[in-house]
Amino acid sequence: MKLFLKVITYLFHPLFIPIAGTLAYFMITPRYTPNEFQSGNILPIFILTVIIPIIAFLILKNVGVIAAVFMPNIAERKYLLYIGISLLLMVVYKVIPNNYAIELHFYFVGLIGATFASIVLLFFNFKSSIHLMGMGSLFMYLVCLSVHFEINITIALSLVILATGLVATSRLYLQSHGRAALLVGFLLGVISQLLTVKFWL
Protein backbone atom coordinates (compact mmCIF):
# COMPACT_ATOMS: atom_id res chain seq x y z
CA MET A 1 0.00 0.00 0.00
CA LYS A 2 2.78 2.41 0.94
CA LEU A 3 4.61 1.77 -2.34
CA PHE A 4 1.42 2.33 -4.35
CA LEU A 5 0.73 5.66 -2.63
CA LYS A 6 4.33 6.75 -3.15
CA VAL A 7 3.95 6.03 -6.86
CA ILE A 8 0.75 8.12 -6.88
CA THR A 9 2.63 10.97 -5.21
CA TYR A 10 5.31 10.94 -7.91
CA LEU A 11 2.92 10.28 -10.79
CA PHE A 12 0.73 13.29 -9.95
CA HIS A 13 3.57 15.55 -8.88
CA PRO A 14 2.87 19.30 -9.25
CA LEU A 15 5.62 19.49 -11.88
CA PHE A 16 3.32 17.74 -14.34
CA ILE A 17 0.27 19.98 -13.81
CA PRO A 18 1.27 22.76 -16.27
CA ILE A 19 2.01 20.33 -19.10
CA ALA A 20 -1.11 18.30 -18.26
CA GLY A 21 -3.29 21.39 -18.64
CA THR A 22 -1.52 22.28 -21.89
CA LEU A 23 -2.11 18.84 -23.39
CA ALA A 24 -5.72 18.89 -22.17
CA TYR A 25 -6.30 22.21 -23.91
CA PHE A 26 -5.08 20.96 -27.28
CA MET A 27 -7.09 17.75 -26.95
CA ILE A 28 -10.31 19.50 -25.93
CA THR A 29 -10.34 22.64 -28.06
CA PRO A 30 -12.43 22.29 -31.24
CA ARG A 31 -10.36 24.99 -32.92
CA TYR A 32 -7.95 23.98 -35.63
CA THR A 33 -4.43 24.18 -34.29
CA PRO A 34 -1.53 23.32 -36.66
CA ASN A 35 1.03 20.83 -35.41
CA GLU A 36 3.67 23.56 -35.55
CA PHE A 37 1.60 25.70 -33.18
CA GLN A 38 1.07 22.80 -30.77
CA SER A 39 4.72 21.73 -30.70
CA GLY A 40 5.76 25.39 -30.45
CA ASN A 41 3.86 25.55 -27.15
CA ILE A 42 4.10 22.04 -25.71
CA LEU A 43 7.87 21.60 -26.03
CA PRO A 44 8.96 24.90 -24.42
CA ILE A 45 6.34 24.51 -21.68
CA PHE A 46 7.62 21.00 -20.94
CA ILE A 47 11.21 22.23 -20.80
CA LEU A 48 10.38 25.25 -18.62
CA THR A 49 8.00 23.54 -16.18
CA VAL A 50 9.44 20.02 -15.94
CA ILE A 51 13.05 19.76 -17.11
CA ILE A 52 14.44 23.02 -15.70
CA PRO A 53 12.81 22.57 -12.23
CA ILE A 54 14.28 19.06 -12.01
CA ILE A 55 17.73 20.38 -12.90
CA ALA A 56 17.30 23.24 -10.41
CA PHE A 57 16.30 20.75 -7.69
CA LEU A 58 19.34 18.57 -8.36
CA ILE A 59 21.65 21.58 -8.22
CA LEU A 60 20.11 22.87 -4.98
CA LYS A 61 20.30 19.40 -3.45
CA ASN A 62 23.95 18.98 -4.41
CA VAL A 63 24.90 22.30 -2.83
CA GLY A 64 22.98 21.39 0.33
CA VAL A 65 20.21 23.96 0.08
CA ILE A 66 17.48 21.31 -0.21
CA ALA A 67 17.59 17.93 1.53
CA ALA A 68 14.35 16.15 0.56
CA VAL A 69 12.32 15.60 -2.59
CA PHE A 70 9.06 16.85 -1.12
CA MET A 71 10.53 19.83 0.76
CA PRO A 72 9.40 19.17 4.34
CA ASN A 73 11.09 22.33 5.56
CA ILE A 74 9.39 25.70 4.98
CA ALA A 75 12.65 27.42 4.03
CA GLU A 76 13.37 24.68 1.48
CA ARG A 77 9.91 24.98 -0.05
CA LYS A 78 10.41 28.67 -0.71
CA TYR A 79 13.38 28.14 -3.02
CA LEU A 80 11.59 25.85 -5.45
CA LEU A 81 8.37 27.86 -5.31
CA TYR A 82 10.36 30.98 -6.24
CA ILE A 83 11.90 29.09 -9.15
CA GLY A 84 8.51 27.68 -10.13
CA ILE A 85 6.71 31.02 -10.19
CA SER A 86 9.57 32.58 -12.19
CA LEU A 87 9.32 29.85 -14.83
CA LEU A 88 5.53 30.17 -14.98
CA LEU A 89 5.91 33.90 -15.57
CA MET A 90 8.33 33.13 -18.39
CA VAL A 91 5.73 30.83 -19.96
CA VAL A 92 3.06 33.53 -19.75
CA TYR A 93 5.20 36.32 -21.20
CA LYS A 94 7.32 34.43 -23.73
CA VAL A 95 5.59 31.19 -24.75
CA ILE A 96 1.84 31.89 -24.67
CA PRO A 97 1.18 35.64 -24.64
CA ASN A 98 -2.39 36.87 -24.35
CA ASN A 99 -2.92 37.41 -28.08
CA TYR A 100 -3.42 33.71 -28.84
CA ALA A 101 -4.55 30.59 -26.92
CA ILE A 102 -6.18 32.87 -24.36
CA GLU A 103 -7.63 29.91 -22.40
CA LEU A 104 -4.17 28.44 -21.96
CA HIS A 105 -2.69 31.83 -21.14
CA PHE A 106 -5.05 32.37 -18.22
CA TYR A 107 -4.59 28.77 -17.03
CA PHE A 108 -0.98 29.69 -16.35
CA VAL A 109 -2.00 33.03 -14.85
CA GLY A 110 -4.15 31.02 -12.41
CA LEU A 111 -1.21 28.73 -11.60
CA ILE A 112 0.93 31.80 -10.89
CA GLY A 113 -1.74 33.17 -8.56
CA ALA A 114 -2.03 29.88 -6.66
CA THR A 115 1.76 29.55 -6.36
CA PHE A 116 2.05 33.13 -5.11
CA ALA A 117 -0.64 32.47 -2.50
CA SER A 118 1.26 29.37 -1.36
CA ILE A 119 4.42 31.43 -0.96
CA VAL A 120 2.56 34.05 1.08
CA LEU A 121 1.19 31.34 3.39
CA LEU A 122 4.74 30.10 4.01
CA PHE A 123 5.54 33.45 5.66
CA PHE A 124 2.79 32.59 8.15
CA ASN A 125 4.39 29.16 8.71
CA PHE A 126 1.57 27.35 6.91
CA LYS A 127 2.46 24.71 4.34
CA SER A 128 -0.42 24.26 1.93
CA SER A 129 -0.34 21.13 -0.21
CA ILE A 130 1.20 21.91 -3.61
CA HIS A 131 0.02 18.50 -4.85
CA LEU A 132 -3.62 19.33 -4.11
CA MET A 133 -3.17 22.87 -5.41
CA GLY A 134 -2.13 21.40 -8.74
CA MET A 135 -4.98 18.91 -8.84
CA GLY A 136 -7.51 21.60 -7.92
CA SER A 137 -6.18 23.88 -10.67
CA LEU A 138 -6.34 21.14 -13.30
CA PHE A 139 -9.84 20.05 -12.26
CA MET A 140 -11.34 23.54 -12.37
CA TYR A 141 -9.58 24.34 -15.65
CA LEU A 142 -11.09 21.23 -17.25
CA VAL A 143 -14.53 22.18 -15.94
CA CYS A 144 -14.18 25.66 -17.43
CA LEU A 145 -12.95 24.29 -20.77
CA SER A 146 -15.93 21.93 -20.87
CA VAL A 147 -18.34 24.81 -20.30
CA HIS A 148 -16.50 27.16 -22.66
CA PHE A 149 -16.39 24.79 -25.62
CA GLU A 150 -19.67 23.03 -24.68
CA ILE A 151 -17.98 19.63 -24.76
CA ASN A 152 -18.86 16.69 -22.51
CA ILE A 153 -15.68 15.49 -20.78
CA THR A 154 -17.36 13.78 -17.84
CA ILE A 155 -15.03 10.77 -18.00
CA ALA A 156 -11.93 12.98 -17.88
CA LEU A 157 -13.33 14.96 -14.96
CA SER A 158 -14.19 11.74 -13.12
CA LEU A 159 -10.63 10.48 -13.58
CA VAL A 160 -9.22 13.75 -12.26
CA ILE A 161 -11.50 13.57 -9.22
CA LEU A 162 -10.38 9.98 -8.61
CA ALA A 163 -6.74 11.00 -8.98
CA THR A 164 -7.27 13.91 -6.58
CA GLY A 165 -8.69 11.54 -3.98
CA LEU A 166 -5.73 9.20 -4.40
CA VAL A 167 -3.25 12.06 -4.09
CA ALA A 168 -4.96 13.36 -0.95
CA THR A 169 -4.96 9.86 0.53
CA SER A 170 -1.28 9.40 -0.26
CA ARG A 171 -0.30 12.72 1.33
CA LEU A 172 -2.24 11.84 4.49
CA TYR A 173 -0.96 8.26 4.62
CA LEU A 174 2.65 9.35 4.14
CA GLN A 175 2.10 12.05 6.79
CA SER A 176 3.30 14.78 4.44
CA HIS A 177 0.35 17.06 5.21
CA GLY A 178 -2.63 17.39 7.49
CA ARG A 179 -6.23 17.75 6.35
CA ALA A 180 -6.14 21.54 6.62
CA ALA A 181 -3.09 21.79 4.35
CA LEU A 182 -4.76 19.53 1.78
CA LEU A 183 -8.02 21.48 1.84
CA VAL A 184 -6.31 24.86 1.59
CA GLY A 185 -4.10 23.63 -1.25
CA PHE A 186 -7.09 22.34 -3.22
CA LEU A 187 -9.06 25.55 -2.64
CA LEU A 188 -6.10 27.68 -3.77
CA GLY A 189 -6.01 25.77 -7.05
CA VAL A 190 -9.76 25.95 -7.63
CA ILE A 191 -10.18 29.61 -6.65
CA SER A 192 -7.18 30.80 -8.64
CA GLN A 193 -8.68 29.30 -11.80
CA LEU A 194 -12.13 30.70 -11.03
CA LEU A 195 -10.69 34.19 -10.66
CA THR A 196 -9.30 34.07 -14.21
CA VAL A 197 -12.46 32.68 -15.81
CA LYS A 198 -14.08 36.08 -16.37
CA PHE A 199 -11.24 37.02 -18.72
CA TRP A 200 -11.84 34.19 -21.20
CA LEU A 201 -15.04 32.22 -20.52
Side-chain angles (χ1 to χ4, degrees):
M1 183 66 175
K2 186 175 181 179
L3 178 61
F4 171 73
L5 292 176
K6 275 191 174 182
V7 170
I8 292 295
T9 299
Y10 281 97
L11 190 60
F12 295 98
H13 195 278
L15 279 180
F16 303 124
I17 296 302
I19 193 65
T22 303
L23 293 172
Y25 169 75
F26 287 116
M27 287 189 291
I28 293 172
T29 179
R31 298 176 186 146
Y32 171 72
T33 50
N35 291 331
E36 295 81 7
F37 179 83
Q38 293 187 33
S39 60
N41 284 273
I42 293 172
L43 184 58
I45 288 172
F46 179 75
I47 292 171
L48 285 170
T49 61
V50 178
I51 303 299
I52 292 180
I54 290 175
I55 294 172
F57 167 76
L58 293 174
I59 292 173
L60 291 174
K61 188 174 182 181
N62 284 334
V63 299
V65 175
I66 293 176
V69 176
F70 293 112
M71 305 168 288
N73 185 288
I74 287 181
E76 292 176 352
R77 290 171 70 90
K78 287 181 183 177
Y79 288 108
L80 289 185
L81 286 177
Y82 288 148
I83 293 171
I85 200 169
S86 300
L87 294 171
L88 289 173
L89 284 167
M90 193 176 298
V91 170
V92 166
Y93 285 106
K94 296 297 183 182
V95 181
I96 45 171
N98 194 15
N99 58 345
Y100 63 98
I102 189 171
E103 300 89 354
L104 194 57
H105 173 86
F106 281 104
Y107 171 61
F108 279 89
V109 171
L111 290 176
I112 290 170
T115 305
F116 178 76
S118 297
I119 293 172
V120 171
L121 288 176
L122 288 178
F123 286 98
F124 295 94
N125 293 321
F126 185 84
K127 294 194 301 180
S128 59
S129 173
I130 308 302
H131 277 78
L132 266 291
M133 183 190 78
M135 297 304 295
S137 296
L138 182 61
F139 171 72
M140 186 50 59
Y141 180 60
L142 290 178
V143 170
C144 294
L145 283 181
S146 176
V147 173
H148 181 55
F149 293 123
E150 297 181 354
I151 295 175
N152 186 351
I153 54 170
T154 305
I155 294 177
L157 291 173
S158 300
L159 290 175
V160 172
I161 291 172
L162 175 62
T164 302
L166 288 172
V167 171
T169 302
S170 70
R171 304 309 284 160
L172 286 172
Y173 184 84
L174 298 172
Q175 298 181 343
S176 299
H177 289 294
R179 294 180 181 179
L182 295 175
L183 179 60
V184 170
F186 185 78
L187 289 176
L188 285 179
V190 169
I191 293 171
S192 64
Q193 292 300 318
L194 284 176
L195 290 176
T196 66
V197 164
K198 65 178 181 179
F199 298 106
W200 62 270
L201 188 60

PDB file of all heavy atoms in Angstrom, residues 17-34:
ATOM      1  N   ILE A  17       1.559  19.303 -13.662  1.00  0.00           N
ATOM      2  CA  ILE A  17       0.268  19.982 -13.811  1.00  0.00           C
ATOM      3  C   ILE A  17       0.253  20.988 -14.967  1.00  0.00           C
ATOM      4  O   ILE A  17      -0.698  21.013 -15.759  1.00  0.00           O
ATOM      5  CB  ILE A  17      -0.137  20.657 -12.484  1.00  0.00           C
ATOM      6  CG1 ILE A  17      -0.365  19.586 -11.393  1.00  0.00           C
ATOM      7  CG2 ILE A  17      -1.397  21.503 -12.669  1.00  0.00           C
ATOM      8  CD1 ILE A  17      -1.428  18.554 -11.739  1.00  0.00           C
ATOM      9  N   PRO A  18       1.291  21.827 -15.132  1.00  0.00           N
ATOM     10  CA  PRO A  18       1.272  22.756 -16.269  1.00  0.00           C
ATOM     11  C   PRO A  18       1.210  22.062 -17.626  1.00  0.00           C
ATOM     12  O   PRO A  18       0.416  22.441 -18.489  1.00  0.00           O
ATOM     13  CB  PRO A  18       2.580  23.542 -16.102  1.00  0.00           C
ATOM     14  CG  PRO A  18       2.876  23.469 -14.643  1.00  0.00           C
ATOM     15  CD  PRO A  18       2.428  22.100 -14.236  1.00  0.00           C
ATOM     16  N   ILE A  19       2.009  21.033 -17.812  1.00  0.00           N
ATOM     17  CA  ILE A  19       2.011  20.332 -19.103  1.00  0.00           C
ATOM     18  C   ILE A  19       0.731  19.531 -19.279  1.00  0.00           C
ATOM     19  O   ILE A  19       0.226  19.375 -20.405  1.00  0.00           O
ATOM     20  CB  ILE A  19       3.275  19.436 -19.242  1.00  0.00           C
ATOM     21  CG1 ILE A  19       3.445  18.969 -20.699  1.00  0.00           C
ATOM     22  CG2 ILE A  19       3.222  18.257 -18.298  1.00  0.00           C
ATOM     23  CD1 ILE A  19       3.725  20.064 -21.665  1.00  0.00           C
ATOM     24  N   ALA A  20       0.162  19.034 -18.178  1.00  0.00           N
ATOM     25  CA  ALA A  20      -1.108  18.298 -18.261  1.00  0.00           C
ATOM     26  C   ALA A  20      -2.227  19.214 -18.737  1.00  0.00           C
ATOM     27  O   ALA A  20      -3.035  18.838 -19.598  1.00  0.00           O
ATOM     28  CB  ALA A  20      -1.464  17.692 -16.897  1.00  0.00           C
ATOM     29  N   GLY A  21      -2.282  20.429 -18.204  1.00  0.00           N
ATOM     30  CA  GLY A  21      -3.291  21.393 -18.635  1.00  0.00           C
ATOM     31  C   GLY A  21      -3.089  21.808 -20.084  1.00  0.00           C
ATOM     32  O   GLY A  21      -4.058  22.011 -20.825  1.00  0.00           O
ATOM     33  N   THR A  22      -1.835  21.916 -20.501  1.00  0.00           N
ATOM     34  CA  THR A  22      -1.520  22.279 -21.886  1.00  0.00           C
ATOM     35  C   THR A  22      -1.995  21.203 -22.849  1.00  0.00           C
ATOM     36  O   THR A  22      -2.644  21.486 -23.867  1.00  0.00           O
ATOM     37  CB  THR A  22      -0.002  22.498 -22.053  1.00  0.00           C
ATOM     38  OG1 THR A  22       0.438  23.499 -21.125  1.00  0.00           O
ATOM     39  CG2 THR A  22       0.331  22.936 -23.470  1.00  0.00           C
ATOM     40  N   LEU A  23      -1.679  19.947 -22.539  1.00  0.00           N
ATOM     41  CA  LEU A  23      -2.112  18.839 -23.386  1.00  0.00           C
ATOM     42  C   LEU A  23      -3.630  18.731 -23.413  1.00  0.00           C
ATOM     43  O   LEU A  23      -4.228  18.474 -24.468  1.00  0.00           O
ATOM     44  CB  LEU A  23      -1.493  17.527 -22.888  1.00  0.00           C
ATOM     45  CG  LEU A  23       0.037  17.412 -23.022  1.00  0.00           C
ATOM     46  CD1 LEU A  23       0.538  16.151 -22.321  1.00  0.00           C
ATOM     47  CD2 LEU A  23       0.446  17.397 -24.487  1.00  0.00           C
ATOM     48  N   ALA A  24      -4.258  18.953 -22.251  1.00  0.00           N
ATOM     49  CA  ALA A  24      -5.720  18.895 -22.173  1.00  0.00           C
ATOM     50  C   ALA A  24      -6.348  19.956 -23.065  1.00  0.00           C
ATOM     51  O   ALA A  24      -7.343  19.693 -23.753  1.00  0.00           O
ATOM     52  CB  ALA A  24      -6.180  19.083 -20.727  1.00  0.00           C
ATOM     53  N   TYR A  25      -5.758  21.139 -23.078  1.00  0.00           N
ATOM     54  CA  TYR A  25      -6.296  22.213 -23.913  1.00  0.00           C
ATOM     55  C   TYR A  25      -6.294  21.823 -25.392  1.00  0.00           C
ATOM     56  O   TYR A  25      -7.293  21.984 -26.086  1.00  0.00           O
ATOM     57  CB  TYR A  25      -5.487  23.495 -23.716  1.00  0.00           C
ATOM     58  CG  TYR A  25      -5.818  24.561 -24.743  1.00  0.00           C
ATOM     59  CD1 TYR A  25      -7.009  25.285 -24.653  1.00  0.00           C
ATOM     60  CD2 TYR A  25      -4.968  24.815 -25.817  1.00  0.00           C
ATOM     61  CE1 TYR A  25      -7.334  26.238 -25.601  1.00  0.00           C
ATOM     62  CE2 TYR A  25      -5.290  25.767 -26.772  1.00  0.00           C
ATOM     63  CZ  TYR A  25      -6.468  26.470 -26.661  1.00  0.00           C
ATOM     64  OH  TYR A  25      -6.796  27.408 -27.608  1.00  0.00           O
ATOM     65  N   PHE A  26      -5.175  21.304 -25.868  1.00  0.00           N
ATOM     66  CA  PHE A  26      -5.076  20.961 -27.283  1.00  0.00           C
ATOM     67  C   PHE A  26      -5.934  19.749 -27.645  1.00  0.00           C
ATOM     68  O   PHE A  26      -6.347  19.602 -28.799  1.00  0.00           O
ATOM     69  CB  PHE A  26      -3.616  20.722 -27.668  1.00  0.00           C
ATOM     70  CG  PHE A  26      -2.802  21.982 -27.746  1.00  0.00           C
ATOM     71  CD1 PHE A  26      -1.742  22.201 -26.882  1.00  0.00           C
ATOM     72  CD2 PHE A  26      -3.120  22.968 -28.662  1.00  0.00           C
ATOM     73  CE1 PHE A  26      -1.004  23.374 -26.939  1.00  0.00           C
ATOM     74  CE2 PHE A  26      -2.397  24.149 -28.726  1.00  0.00           C
ATOM     75  CZ  PHE A  26      -1.328  24.348 -27.867  1.00  0.00           C
ATOM     76  N   MET A  27      -6.225  18.894 -26.678  1.00  0.00           N
ATOM     77  CA  MET A  27      -7.091  17.749 -26.954  1.00  0.00           C
ATOM     78  C   MET A  27      -8.571  18.130 -26.927  1.00  0.00           C
ATOM     79  O   MET A  27      -9.376  17.550 -27.646  1.00  0.00           O
ATOM     80  CB  MET A  27      -6.831  16.629 -25.934  1.00  0.00           C
ATOM     81  CG  MET A  27      -5.506  15.908 -26.148  1.00  0.00           C
ATOM     82  SD  MET A  27      -5.323  14.430 -25.125  1.00  0.00           S
ATOM     83  CE  MET A  27      -5.183  15.143 -23.508  1.00  0.00           C
ATOM     84  N   ILE A  28      -8.910  19.126 -26.109  1.00  0.00           N
ATOM     85  CA  ILE A  28     -10.312  19.499 -25.931  1.00  0.00           C
ATOM     86  C   ILE A  28     -10.772  20.556 -26.928  1.00  0.00           C
ATOM     87  O   ILE A  28     -11.892  20.499 -27.429  1.00  0.00           O
ATOM     88  CB  ILE A  28     -10.554  19.989 -24.479  1.00  0.00           C
ATOM     89  CG1 ILE A  28     -10.391  18.830 -23.499  1.00  0.00           C
ATOM     90  CG2 ILE A  28     -11.942  20.606 -24.332  1.00  0.00           C
ATOM     91  CD1 ILE A  28     -10.408  19.245 -22.051  1.00  0.00           C
ATOM     92  N   THR A  29      -9.911  21.527 -27.212  1.00  0.00           N
ATOM     93  CA  THR A  29     -10.340  22.642 -28.059  1.00  0.00           C
ATOM     94  C   THR A  29     -10.796  22.167 -29.447  1.00  0.00           C
ATOM     95  O   THR A  29     -10.114  21.372 -30.096  1.00  0.00           O
ATOM     96  CB  THR A  29      -9.208  23.684 -28.217  1.00  0.00           C
ATOM     97  OG1 THR A  29      -9.675  24.723 -29.075  1.00  0.00           O
ATOM     98  CG2 THR A  29      -7.952  23.057 -28.825  1.00  0.00           C
ATOM     99  N   PRO A  30     -11.951  22.648 -29.907  1.00  0.00           N
ATOM    100  CA  PRO A  30     -12.428  22.294 -31.244  1.00  0.00           C
ATOM    101  C   PRO A  30     -11.781  23.139 -32.343  1.00  0.00           C
ATOM    102  O   PRO A  30     -11.987  22.884 -33.525  1.00  0.00           O
ATOM    103  CB  PRO A  30     -13.934  22.584 -31.152  1.00  0.00           C
ATOM    104  CG  PRO A  30     -14.047  23.665 -30.138  1.00  0.00           C
ATOM    105  CD  PRO A  30     -12.949  23.434 -29.143  1.00  0.00           C
ATOM    106  N   ARG A  31     -11.010  24.139 -31.929  1.00  0.00           N
ATOM    107  CA  ARG A  31     -10.355  24.993 -32.916  1.00  0.00           C
ATOM    108  C   ARG A  31      -9.247  24.225 -33.639  1.00  0.00           C
ATOM    109  O   ARG A  31      -8.584  23.369 -33.061  1.00  0.00           O
ATOM    110  CB  ARG A  31      -9.740  26.212 -32.230  1.00  0.00           C
ATOM    111  CG  ARG A  31     -10.734  27.111 -31.548  1.00  0.00           C
ATOM    112  CD  ARG A  31     -10.014  28.230 -30.827  1.00  0.00           C
ATOM    113  NE  ARG A  31     -10.943  29.031 -30.045  1.00  0.00           N
ATOM    114  CZ  ARG A  31     -10.638  29.591 -28.893  1.00  0.00           C
ATOM    115  NH1 ARG A  31      -9.442  29.438 -28.395  1.00  0.00           N
ATOM    116  NH2 ARG A  31     -11.540  30.305 -28.244  1.00  0.00           N
ATOM    117  N   TYR A  32      -9.052  24.592 -34.876  1.00  0.00           N
ATOM    118  CA  TYR A  32      -7.953  23.983 -35.632  1.00  0.00           C
ATOM    119  C   TYR A  32      -6.634  24.583 -35.165  1.00  0.00           C
ATOM    120  O   TYR A  32      -6.456  25.807 -35.159  1.00  0.00           O
ATOM    121  CB  TYR A  32      -8.118  24.227 -37.131  1.00  0.00           C
ATOM    122  CG  TYR A  32      -6.903  23.804 -37.916  1.00  0.00           C
ATOM    123  CD1 TYR A  32      -6.599  22.446 -38.087  1.00  0.00           C
ATOM    124  CD2 TYR A  32      -6.046  24.755 -38.477  1.00  0.00           C
ATOM    125  CE1 TYR A  32      -5.479  22.052 -38.795  1.00  0.00           C
ATOM    126  CE2 TYR A  32      -4.928  24.366 -39.188  1.00  0.00           C
ATOM    127  CZ  TYR A  32      -4.652  23.018 -39.346  1.00  0.00           C
ATOM    128  OH  TYR A  32      -3.531  22.630 -40.045  1.00  0.00           O
ATOM    129  N   THR A  33      -5.740  23.722 -34.727  1.00  0.00           N
ATOM    130  CA  THR A  33      -4.427  24.175 -34.294  1.00  0.00           C
ATOM    131  C   THR A  33      -3.364  23.378 -35.042  1.00  0.00           C
ATOM    132  O   THR A  33      -3.271  22.157 -34.872  1.00  0.00           O
ATOM    133  CB  THR A  33      -4.241  23.973 -32.779  1.00  0.00           C
ATOM    134  OG1 THR A  33      -4.598  22.631 -32.428  1.00  0.00           O
ATOM    135  CG2 THR A  33      -5.112  24.929 -31.992  1.00  0.00           C
ATOM    136  N   PRO A  34      -2.583  24.017 -35.906  1.00  0.00           N
ATOM    137  CA  PRO A  34      -1.533  23.316 -36.657  1.00  0.00           C
ATOM    138  C   PRO A  34      -0.542  22.628 -35.731  1.00  0.00           C
ATOM    139  O   PRO A  34      -0.331  23.063 -34.595  1.00  0.00           O
ATOM    140  CB  PRO A  34      -0.862  24.452 -37.455  1.00  0.00           C
ATOM    141  CG  PRO A  34      -1.853  25.560 -37.469  1.00  0.00           C
ATOM    142  CD  PRO A  34      -2.624  25.455 -36.183  1.00  0.00           C
TER     143      PRO A  34
END
